[in-house]
C-alpha cells in the first residue's frame, strides 16, 4: 500500500480552474495530495452533506463533526474508484450521522 508521503510527492500542473473540474478529476488530484482540489470538492458538496447530517442528527454540532469526518475520509482516499461522488458523499454523510445518533459521544 502506498503511504501518504509517497503519493504526495508528485505535483501536477492545473489545466483548468478547480471549479470547472469533474468530481473524478478532483478525486485524482486529491489522491496526489492537492489541497485545493479537496477544497473545491468541499465547496461543491459540504452544504448538502451538512443538510443530510443535520436532518439525521438533529444537532448542528454533530452534523459539523460528520461533515469533517466525511471529508477526512475523502482526503484519505476512501471513495471507491468509479463511484458516483455525490452519491457516495451523501450516503456517507447519512451513515456517519446515523452512527452519531446510535453511539453519541460521551454516553
Amino acid at each position: 500500500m502506498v503511504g501518504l508521503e509517497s503519493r504526495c510527492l508528485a505535483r501536477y500542473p492545473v489545466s483548468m480552474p478547480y471549479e470547472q473540474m469533474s468530481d473524478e478529476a478532483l478525486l485524482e488530484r486529491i489522491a496526489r495530495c492537492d489541497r485545493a482540489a479537496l477544497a473545491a470538492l468541499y465547496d461543491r458538496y459540504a452544504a448538502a452533506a451538512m443538510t443530510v447530517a443535520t436532518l439525521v442528527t438533529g444537532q448542528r454540532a454533530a452534523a459539523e463533526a460528520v461533515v469533517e469526518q466525511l471529508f477526512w475520509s475523502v482526503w484519505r482516499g476512501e471513495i471507491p474508484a468509479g463511484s458516483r461522488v455525490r452519491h457516495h458523499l451523501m450516503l456517507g454523510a447519512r451513515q456517519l450521522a446515523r452512527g452519531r445518533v446510535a453511539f453519541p459521544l460521551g454516553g
Side-chain angles (χ1 to χ4, degrees):
M1 186 167 123
V2 176
L4 180 63
E5 297 79 21
S6 302
R7 74 180 176 104
C8 293
L9 293 177
R11 298 287 183 223
Y12 299 91
V14 177
S15 59
M16 68 173 68
Y18 288 99
E19 298 78 25
Q20 295 177 7
M21 290 183 184
S22 68
D23 293 344
E24 294 75 20
L26 290 173
L27 286 179
E28 287 176 16
R29 296 194 68 85
I30 291 167
R32 297 183 195 122
C33 300
D34 187 332
R35 292 177 181 163
L38 179 65
L41 198 69
Y42 181 90
D43 289 346
R44 195 174 288 176
Y45 293 116
M50 183 70 172
T51 299
V52 169
T54 302
L55 288 171
V56 174
T57 65
Q59 300 175 345
R60 182 167 177 81
E64 288 172 351
V66 164
V67 172
E68 180 180 351
Q69 186 177 1
L70 179 66
F71 280 90
W72 272 115
S73 74
V74 171
W75 182 251
R76 290 189 303 267
E78 295 175 7
I79 294 183
S83 68
R84 295 183 321 240
V85 175
R86 180 179 174 80
H87 175 79
H88 182 84
L89 291 173
M90 297 309 109
L91 183 61
R94 188 180 77 184
Q95 290 173 334
L96 290 169
R98 283 182 173 172
R100 289 234 172 223
V101 170
F103 304 103
L105 297 176

